[in-house]
């Protein structure tokens, strides 16, 4: 056998969406799943509004964690569109809407089987309606026989572009990028995740560079707390907030959630 490792095939999410009626999009926490679905929604809405005609299914962006035993996806759709069930079913039957269900992993474990049954039913009964589902990569397993695509880490080019746009100047962004590339630290690995790249850029703008993931989250959290304190004119104890968030994070991690 060959020792050559094949590079993952990079494809545009817009192209994938045009190729498949339904598919999964998975990724690490902070990899951009929600942002991607929102970008697809905006692009489709712009296309429809620019022509003035419903030439493509209109997007319905659904946060999956709204689902529970008492609130079905159909009910959520009706609430979002402010229409009744009969009208909603007409849209689904004729394939006039595009279901973008974000964060299946965020549905309560006790409700996930019920959620999957409803999604399967929507997929089977309304066979002209396109569906896009997202989930975190951790503990993901595919239950519906759909194609699965994974959001890949950011390339060097994308990292540089982001830093030059979001740091104090293009030159500072370039210098920080060069320091990431030239170092053997874990910071470059962090930078390949969109959420952590955003966090890195902010803490670097403040002159602090973390040595590990824990420090990165702590420094970014402190920046958010400082910003919100100024905006809301609150006087909460940052040390207390940090302790509470740390305990919540530990509990989530212990339960297999990230």
């Amino acid at each position: 056998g060959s020792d050559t490792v094949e590079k993952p095939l990079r494809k545009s999410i817009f192209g994938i969406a045009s190729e498949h009626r339904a598919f999964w999009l998975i990724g690490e926490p902070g990899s951009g799943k929600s942002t991607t679905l929102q970008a697809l929604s905006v692009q489709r809405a712009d296309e429809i509004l620019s022509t003035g005609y419903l030439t493509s299914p209109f997007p319905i962006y659904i946060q999956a964690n709204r689902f529970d035993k008492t609130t079905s996806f159909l009910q959520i759709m009706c609430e979002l569109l402010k229409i009744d069930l009969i009208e909603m079913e007409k849209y689904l039957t004729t394939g006039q809407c595009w279901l973008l269900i974000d964060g299946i992993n965020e549905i309560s474990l006790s409700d996930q089987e019920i959620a999957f049954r409803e999604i399967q039913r929507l997929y089977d009964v309304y066979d002209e309606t396109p569906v896009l589902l997202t989930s975190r990569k951790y503990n993901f397993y595919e239950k519906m026989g759909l194609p699965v695509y994974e959001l890949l880490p950011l390339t060097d080019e994308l990292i540089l572009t982001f830093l030059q746009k979001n740091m104090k100047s293009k030159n500072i962004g370039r210098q920080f990028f060069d320091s990431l590339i030239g170092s053997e630290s874990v910071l470059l690995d962090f930078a390949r995740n969109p959420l952590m790249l955003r966090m890195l850029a902010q803490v670097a703008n403040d002159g602090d560079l973390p040595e590990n993931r824990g420090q990165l989250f702590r420094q970014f959290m402190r920046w958010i707390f400082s910003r919100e304190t100024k905006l809301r004119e609150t006087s909460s104890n940052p040390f207390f907030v940090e302790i509470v968030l740390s305990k919540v994070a530990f509990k989530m991690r212990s339960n297999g959630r990230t």
Side-chain angles (χ1 to χ4, degrees):
S2 172
D3 292 332
T4 303
V5 178
E6 291 187 10
K7 291 184 177 180
L9 177 63
R10 290 183 178 269
K11 299 183 73 174
S12 163
I13 187 63
F14 299 103
I16 294 169
S18 66
E19 290 174 18
H20 300 287
R21 177 200 156 201
F23 65 97
W24 281 96
L25 182 66
I26 64 172
E28 301 289 349
S31 60
K33 300 179 293 298
S34 297
T35 302
T36 298
L37 258 63
Q38 290 163 9
L40 287 168
S41 299
V42 169
Q43 187 210 43
R44 178 60 60 82
D46 283 345
E47 289 173 359
I48 294 170
L49 292 172
S50 66
T51 62
Y53 296 97
L54 194 59
T55 54
S56 300
F58 64 86
I60 305 178
Y61 175 76
I62 302 168
Q63 293 175 309
N65 60 10
R66 293 186 59 181
F67 176 93
D68 60 32
K69 290 184 181 71
T70 63
T71 309
S72 70
F73 285 115
L74 266 175
Q75 288 175 296
I76 295 169
M77 291 178 222
C78 291
E79 290 173 10
L80 289 171
L81 299 185
K82 299 186 181 344
I83 58 176
D84 61 31
L85 184 58
I86 294 174
E87 191 172 359
M88 185 69 246
E89 288 184 329
K90 285 181 182 178
Y91 286 133
L92 291 167
T93 302
T94 53
Q96 293 186 72
C97 56
W98 182 19
L99 305 184
L100 302 153
I101 306 179
D102 187 25
I104 297 296
N105 59 285
E106 295 181 10
I107 298 173
S108 168
L109 291 176
S110 61
D111 293 337
Q112 283 191 9
E113 197 59 41
I114 301 170
F116 272 116
R117 284 202 297 269
E118 185 181 354
I119 293 170
Q120 186 71 61
R121 177 184 171 277
L122 290 170
Y123 179 72
D124 292 339
V125 173
Y126 306 110
D127 56 6
E128 292 188 34
T129 294
V131 181
L132 198 171
L133 308 168
T134 75
S135 180
R136 286 186 178 174
K137 183 180 177 181
Y138 181 77
N139 274 350
F140 171 78
Y141 61 101
E142 205 290 306
K143 298 183 66 173
M144 298 175 60
L146 302 179
V148 179
Y149 290 89
E150 180 180 352
L151 283 169
L152 294 175
L154 297 176
T155 62
D156 289 357
E157 181 182 2
L158 290 172
I159 293 172
L160 175 59
T161 300
F162 179 88
L163 291 175
Q164 290 185 319
K165 285 183 178 179
N166 291 276
M167 297 196 72
K168 292 178 179 177
S169 70
K170 278 192 171 183
N171 187 45
I172 291 174
R174 179 78 214 196
Q175 289 176 359
F176 184 47
F177 173 78
D178 290 340
S179 70
L180 290 176
I181 296 295
S183 71
E184 296 182 0
S185 71
V186 295
L187 293 184
L188 180 57
D189 288 336
F190 292 169
R192 299 205 183 281
N193 177 287
L195 173 61
M196 286 198 270
L197 177 60
R198 167 74 179 88
M199 296 165 71
L200 272 173
Q202 181 56 54
V203 298
N205 270 333
D206 291 341
D208 297 319
L209 285 182
E211 295 181 1
N212 54 52
R213 189 192 300 250
Q215 286 186 13
L216 174 60
F217 278 89
R218 179 177 292 111
Q219 289 169 212
F220 187 69
M221 185 276 295
R222 287 175 177 171
W223 171 78
I224 289 178
F225 186 82
S226 174
R227 182 193 66 182
E228 293 302 305
T229 298
K230 292 175 183 176
L231 289 174
R232 301 174 186 273
E233 298 182 352
T234 60
S235 57
S236 302
N237 186 335
F239 179 73
F240 175 75
V241 173
E242 187 172 324
I243 294 230
V244 171
L245 290 176
S246 297
K247 289 184 179 296
V248 170
F250 177 77
K251 185 70 173 178
M252 290 176 65
R253 191 69 177 178
S254 300
N255 291 334
R257 304 183 68 129
T258 54

